[in-house]
Amino acid sequence: MDVKAKGNVRREEEDHQIELRRGPWTVEEDLKLVNYIAAHGEGRWNSLALFAGLKRTGKSCRLRWLNYLRPDVRRGNITLEEQLLILELHSRWGNRWSKIAQYLPGRTDNEIKNYWRTRVQKHAKQLKCDVNSKQFKDTMRYLWMPRLVERIQAGIASSSSTTATSTGQIVIPQLALSYNSTLDNSSIAISSETQVSPTSDFSDCYGNIVPINENPNPDYFQASQIGSSNDYNHGMDFQPWLRGVDNITSDHFLDCDDFLFLQQQFNFNM
DNA sequence: AAGGAGTGCAACCGCAGTGCT
DNA sequence: TAGCACTGCGGTTGCACTCCT
């Protein structure tokens, strides 16, 4: 047994001496944790658990705080813009959930991981292919995304709060998004401000995604570029899929007719 | 109405990295 | 530099809820 394993065993023995609680957190436990952190701050989780009077491991307290109790945790459906970012970033980094989460303020790595496993993998499964296969990625790129672009543009046409510019950009207030509809030269920019930079700005700064917590302006983040090669996705790039209406959230990438369309096309190409 | 299957998500587990003594 | 504690990450599990038959 190596050193780390010994350490873990000892810790587990200590855990049993204290009779630690496991499983779902109670309201009382949540209150204890929140109040303690409000008074003393976070960090030093093992001693925090002890001093806060919680019969939990430090690990459990940290997880509960980061994934649920933190005031800036966003609850509710993953928005279309967030879906877009998740897919784009996953195409680049794979299952680096915490890294992906850095670009989605208020979302946790756990939430993003769950989202990927339950939604994206489900669609791959329905298409009877591996989610990481070139086939699945190509299907998204060449069938799914153009289809969605149609929906975006249709949505824009009927949305008074969303505008399309003469250059083909889509501009959405609150979470501004710019989309250049040329497939091979597309770019996305997302920010919390209404203002959207010209398309050329984004294509110029390919690869220049800035984590929210490293950006001097915390209200701004952007995902630019699309179309670069990288070693994880073999050059696969993601187009934005949006319905073009700023207040829509969606549990699903595709509604029924979209999925049937995609499935037909996919089977045809097999 | 009942119960089996499927789904979504909170929480746990094991491991690796880092820093302190 | 070995030993240990702490933290963070990604994978997995368990359970509550919903849907379907």
Side-chain angles (χ1 to χ4, degrees):
Chain A
M1 188 184 284
D2 65 17
V3 172
K4 282 174 184 165
K6 280 181 183 171
N8 287 338
V9 167
R10 175 178 289 193
R11 237 170 294 145
E12 281 169 18
E13 286 169 352
E14 287 168 357
D15 289 352
H16 288 121
Q17 288 172 13
I18 307 168
E19 193 77 25
L20 291 169
R21 270 182 54 77
R22 294 184 195 279
W25 281 63
T26 64
V27 176
E28 289 76 20
E29 287 177 311
D30 282 348
L31 279 173
K32 276 185 184 177
L33 184 56
V34 168
N35 289 336
Y36 189 88
I37 289 175
H40 303 95
E42 56 183 281
R44 309 289 297 177
W45 294 103
N46 281 343
S47 52
L48 183 153
L50 200 65
F51 295 137
L54 289 159
K55 292 175 179 177
R56 296 272 182 175
T57 62
K59 242 179 173 181
S60 180
C61 293
R62 174 183 165 272
L63 204 68
R64 182 65 178 171
W65 174 253
L66 294 178
N67 286 347
Y68 200 84
L69 297 174
R70 247 189 326 151
D72 58 333
V73 168
R74 286 184 67 184
R75 318 296 307 170
N77 289 342
I78 302 282
T79 66
L80 291 167
E81 291 81 4
E82 288 172 325
Q83 289 178 22
L84 166 64
L85 264 179
I86 291 168
L87 291 163
E88 160 62 19
L89 296 176
H90 187 275
S91 75
R92 189 173 308 177
W93 296 320
N95 296 355
R96 301 284 305 279
W97 306 117
S98 62
K99 190 166 183 175
I100 292 170
Q102 288 177 1
Y103 298 85
L104 290 111
R107 300 294 186 183
T108 66
D109 54 352
N110 208 34
E111 196 171 10
I112 294 166
K113 178 172 56 183
N114 282 335
Y115 171 75
W116 182 265
R117 293 184 65 84
T118 58
R119 310 291 167 78
V120 181
Q121 290 194 348
K122 185 176 80 177
H123 285 302
K125 194 176 171 185
Q126 285 171 325
L127 292 169
K128 295 184 174 65
C129 67
D130 186 88
V131 74
N132 292 317
S133 68
K134 188 174 185 301
Q135 206 169 23
F136 183 67
K137 290 173 179 174
D138 284 350
T139 302
M140 283 203 286
R141 181 182 184 185
Y142 296 113
L143 297 172
W144 189 337
M145 296 181 193
R147 173 81 164 167
L148 284 163
V149 169
E150 286 174 23
R151 299 182 71 97
I152 293 165
Q153 288 168 344
I156 285 165
S158 62
S159 170
S160 59
S161 63
T162 306
T163 57
T165 70
S166 58
T167 58
Q169 286 179 264
I170 293 165
V171 181
I172 301 170
Q174 295 172 354
L175 192 69
L177 186 144
S178 159
Y179 175 69
N180 180 329
S181 58
T182 306
L183 251 183
D184 292 330
N185 296 299
S186 58
S187 63
I188 322 163
I190 298 175
S191 83
S192 58
E193 299 169 1
T194 303
Q195 186 180 355
V196 178
S197 304
T199 304
S200 57
D201 289 348
F202 304 120
S203 52
D204 286 348
C205 59
Y206 178 79
N208 185 27
I209 290 183
V210 183
I212 192 76
N213 57 0
E214 292 174 16
N215 193 304
N217 177 2
D219 287 330
Y220 179 81
F221 66 103
Q222 70 174 26
S224 61
Q225 94 308 357
I226 289 216
S228 112
S229 62
N230 65 64
D231 54 9
Y232 178 79
N233 66 7
H234 310 291
M236 168 61 195
D237 44 8
F238 288 92
Q239 308 291 333
W241 40 49
L242 306 166
R243 299 222 174 101
V245 181
D246 58 350
N247 60 352
I248 290 179
T249 60
S250 171
D251 288 349
H252 304 97
F253 291 126
L254 304 171
D255 57 21
C256 289
D257 64 321
D258 273 338
F259 184 75
L260 286 171
F261 165 81
L262 183 60
Q263 199 163 31
Q264 283 164 8
Q265 297 298 316
F266 185 84
N267 291 336
F268 179 78
N269 290 329
M270 291 284 278

